[in-house]
Amino acid sequence: GIAGRLRFAEASPSMKWGKRMRTMEHAPWRSNYVCYKKLKQVLASLKNETKVEGVHSAVGSAALGEHWEGSLASASDGNPFVKALLEELVKVSSFHESMTAALEQRMADCKAAADEALCRSTHAQQIDVLYNAEVLMGMVSSSREEEVNDRKRKRANALAAIENLRADLEMLHRYLMVNQLTVKKIVKKYDKHVVGPKLEGP
């Protein structure tokens, strides 16, 4: 699965994370990933400086989803790295929200298309169970052939739309996991090179 492939990529010793991350990104979404290179550049300017107190608890809240934007914003005062990290997290969160809304709408559209392809209703808006069973089993008279073929085309289109939706849902899940690993990597670098309390937490 996705998690297994990402764990393998994370553990690969032959390539630095920045390059490995690029191989796992979905190209059309590239500008919406955490910018690892940018965070490394900010971190390079902070090496051997003292960490700002309060960052640890702020990142803990972020991990738990507890008003993380406000927590990190208050902790970012005087700390360029945390400020840059916050900007990247807000970017990822905004993109995820917009994509989730779009996928939810597509899910509703897929359901409507599938219903239209598989179900016929009478004038009283009751499902014609016998007719739909006949369509699914191909037990229809020649006079209904055109309608049946139309429903077959609609059914094929609905299935294709559902498959595309599934692929994009998987891609969004992968997007989140890649960003999670990227944040984990850069926070470890921060803890290693900047003096003071740990940012990553236990």
Side-chain angles (χ1 to χ4, degrees):
I2 294 176
R5 294 196 296 272
L6 290 178
R7 281 195 296 272
F8 174 79
E10 182 185 15
S12 174
S14 61
M15 190 184 301
K16 291 186 176 180
W17 176 250
K19 291 183 178 180
R20 293 206 300 275
M21 178 185 175
R22 297 285 287 184
T23 66
M24 292 185 288
E25 290 175 347
H26 183 43
W29 299 354
R30 184 153 284 160
S31 64
N32 295 291
Y33 285 82
V34 169
C35 186
Y36 185 70
K37 182 178 180 180
K38 168 187 169 181
L39 293 175
K40 279 185 65 178
Q41 291 171 343
V42 175
L43 179 57
S45 69
L46 291 178
K47 287 184 179 179
N48 299 320
E49 292 188 11
T50 303
K51 297 177 187 178
V52 175
E53 296 292 337
V55 171
H56 180 124
S57 60
V59 173
S61 295
L64 296 173
E66 300 173 353
H67 311 293
W68 60 270
E69 291 187 36
S71 299
L72 277 177
S74 62
S76 67
D77 292 341
N79 189 319
F81 176 80
V82 178
K83 181 180 179 181
L85 177 60
L86 174 60
E87 291 172 352
E88 294 302 305
L89 290 174
V90 169
K91 177 180 70 177
V92 169
S93 178
S94 297
F95 180 75
H96 177 257
E97 287 181 8
S98 65
M99 286 299 302
T100 298
L103 290 171
E104 286 176 348
Q105 181 58 55
R106 285 174 57 191
M107 194 176 300
D109 293 342
C110 285
K111 180 182 183 303
D115 288 345
E116 182 182 2
L118 297 176
C119 300
R120 184 180 75 167
S121 300
T122 66
H123 294 298
Q125 299 301 313
Q126 297 295 318
I127 299 300
D128 188 340
V129 177
L130 179 59
Y131 171 82
N132 292 309
E134 290 175 342
V135 169
L136 290 174
M137 298 174 65
M139 298 167 54
V140 292
S141 65
S142 58
S143 63
R144 290 180 176 177
E145 185 175 353
E146 183 177 348
E147 182 179 357
V148 171
N149 288 336
D150 180 58
R151 284 182 175 273
K152 286 181 178 179
R153 285 191 295 270
K154 289 180 178 179
R155 187 161 67 245
N157 291 337
L159 289 173
I162 291 170
E163 175 57 26
N164 290 335
L165 175 63
R166 184 205 61 78
D168 285 347
L169 284 168
E170 182 174 326
M171 186 60 66
L172 185 60
H173 179 53
R174 180 186 180 95
Y175 166 83
L176 291 175
M177 294 191 71
V178 169
N179 282 299
Q180 182 183 37
L181 288 174
T182 300
V183 171
K184 177 182 176 181
K185 292 285 186 181
I186 197 65
V187 165
K188 280 189 174 181
K189 283 183 175 293
Y190 178 92
D191 285 339
K192 179 178 179 181
H193 294 295
V194 181
V195 178
K198 297 293 184 182
L199 179 60
E200 185 179 21

